[in-house]
């Protein structure tokens, strides 16, 4: 079974910023020698934030529909299983079964219009 990683080395090119529509999120899967990493990036204008795709409630991937990580209004991250809600800024759960816990940050950065791991 492939090891599931919760961090990546810095400097991996992920995508051009324009791949993620403003106010939306996108799933990324990175295959590395050590195993497979699942994460997602939320874009708000020129700001990008990344999190490991693992809900602190039950340790499962958050979405049942590809790239569907946000509430309809786009202002919170939502887990599709039991409705946990997380702030985009810091990943803290502000509602649902894991209130007070937080998503694991996945450091990403934007330079020259390209998103890379940090
Ligand atoms: S697994 Fe995410 S809210 Fe239960």
């Amino acid at each position: 079974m492939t090891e599931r990683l919760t961090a990546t080395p810095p400097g991996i090119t992920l995508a051009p910023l324009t791949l993620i529509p403003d106010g939306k999120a996108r799933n990324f899967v990175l295959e590395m020698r050590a195993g497979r990493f699942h994460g997602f990036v939320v874009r708000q204008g020129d700001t990008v934030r990344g999190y490991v795709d693992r809900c602190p409630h039950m340790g499962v991937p958050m979405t049942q529909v590809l790239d569907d990580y946000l509430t309809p209004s786009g202002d919170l991250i939502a887990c599709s299983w039991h409705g946990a809600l997380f702030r985009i800024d810091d990943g803290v759960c502000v509602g649902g079964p894991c209130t007070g816990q937080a998503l694991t940050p996945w450091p990403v950065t934007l330079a020259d219009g390209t998103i890379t791991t940090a």
Side-chain angles (χ1 to χ4, degrees):
M1 191 177 143
T2 309
E3 183 88 15
R4 187 123 174 172
L5 306 177
T6 56
T8 60
I12 299 174
T13 299
L14 295 175
L17 178 67
T18 51
L19 192 70
I20 309 177
D22 194 5
K24 300 286 188 194
R26 191 179 206 281
N27 169 261
F28 289 91
V29 178
L30 278 64
E31 291 278 356
M32 291 178 287
R33 241 192 311 263
R36 186 180 293 158
F37 173 87
H38 292 251
F40 64 96
V41 173
V42 183
R43 175 184 175 192
Q44 292 179 306
D46 286 340
T47 301
V48 288
R49 288 189 207 285
Y51 293 100
V52 176
D53 190 357
R54 182 180 184 279
C55 181
H57 178 221
M58 294 193 71
V60 296
M62 310 247 299
T63 63
Q64 297 173 67
V65 175
L66 186 67
D67 299 336
D68 189 22
Y69 290 95
L70 304 181
T71 55
S73 61
D75 52 1
L76 290 167
I77 297 163
C79 179
S80 66
W81 296 103
H82 315 102
L85 298 170
F86 305 86
R87 284 195 301 250
I88 292 171
D89 282 3
D90 58 9
V92 170
C93 181
V94 294
C98 48
T99 301
Q101 294 182 263
L103 298 170
T104 302
W106 176 34
V108 295
T109 188
L110 180 67
D112 297 330
T114 300
I115 307 167
T116 60
T117 61

